[in-house]
């Protein structure tokens, strides 16, 4: 973990908090190249009524077309789901830094098996924000992870 990791995770956290404050799911992400943020996003499933508007997908969309992703790092507050992990692999993002995976253990092994370096920060702020969502809106959380 580097100082950059902490800096960019804090930016992803602010986006997650923004989504939470909007009534959405608290997941934020930033895409970084050479120490510069090239894309930001947060989960907009609730806000836009869009089932695939996950934080990582919103971030990639906002980064726009890139010639390559092989020199980028994706910072996300929550371990990415299979859809978002698939996008990471599809575009060749070589490193993913995850704020937390206690509330949702995503697809770290899938990512690693495709050559992606995965770092889990176990960030207390990310953990607490997702726990707050799960406690305050359990139906929304269940919907998001595909449970009844």
């Amino acid at each position: 973990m580097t100082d950059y990791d902490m800096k960019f995770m804090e930016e992803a956290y602010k986006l997650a908090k923004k989504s939470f404050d909007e009534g959405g799911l608290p997941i934020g992400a930033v895409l970084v190249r050479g120490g510069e943020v090239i894309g930001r996003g947060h989960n907009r499933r609730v806000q836009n009524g869009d089932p695939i508007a996950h934080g990582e997908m919103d971030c990639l969309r906002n980064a726009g077309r890139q010639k390559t992703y092989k020199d980028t790092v994706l910072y996300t507050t929550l371990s990415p789901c299979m859809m978002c992990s698939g996008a990471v692999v599809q575009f060749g993002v070589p490193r993913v830094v995850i704020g937390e995976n206690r509330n949702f253990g995503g697809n770290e092994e899938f990512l690693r098996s495709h050559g992606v370096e995965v770092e889990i920060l176990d960030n207390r702020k990310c953990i607490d924000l997702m726990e707050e969502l799960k406690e305050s809106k359990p139906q929304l959380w269940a919907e998001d992870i595909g449970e009844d």
Side-chain angles (χ1 to χ4, degrees):
M1 179 173 49
T2 67
D3 289 340
Y4 275 128
D5 291 341
M6 297 308 294
K7 172 186 171 183
F8 294 124
M9 185 54 63
E10 181 62 26
E11 187 155 348
Y13 173 81
K14 289 176 183 174
L15 291 161
K17 181 74 167 89
K18 177 181 179 179
S19 185
F20 182 81
D21 291 344
E22 292 173 350
L25 293 142
I27 304 162
V30 294
L31 187 65
V32 175
R33 172 182 287 127
E36 300 281 329
V37 174
I38 62 170
R40 293 172 176 79
H42 63 83
N43 191 295
R44 297 175 189 266
R45 287 185 66 245
V46 172
Q47 298 92 317
N48 294 356
D50 180 349
I52 62 170
H54 289 203
E56 299 89 344
M57 302 300 271
D58 189 51
C59 175
L60 290 168
R61 181 180 293 119
N62 290 331
R65 288 179 56 199
Q66 303 291 316
K67 282 186 174 183
T68 185
Y69 295 84
K70 295 187 185 326
D71 57 350
T72 64
V73 178
L74 180 68
Y75 292 85
T76 180
T77 57
L78 185 66
S79 186
C81 72
M82 183 53 80
M83 176 179 67
C84 296
S85 295
V88 165
V89 170
Q90 175 71 29
F91 293 124
V93 176
R95 183 169 185 251
V96 176
V97 179
I98 298 168
E100 70 109 343
N101 68 347
R102 291 185 189 192
N103 285 292
F104 179 78
N107 297 282
E108 295 94 356
E109 289 310 312
F110 170 81
L111 290 167
R112 288 183 182 112
S113 75
H114 285 85
V116 177
E117 178 187 344
V118 176
E119 176 101 25
I120 301 167
L121 300 182
D122 208 27
N123 182 289
R124 187 79 246 167
K125 287 169 62 173
C126 294
I127 294 165
D128 290 347
L129 186 58
M130 186 56 70
E131 286 178 352
E132 185 176 348
L133 178 274
K134 288 170 66 176
E135 289 174 18
S136 65
K137 297 181 180 178
Q139 303 88 350
L140 180 58
W141 174 246
E143 173 192 323
D144 193 56
I145 61 172
E147 292 183 354
D148 293 331

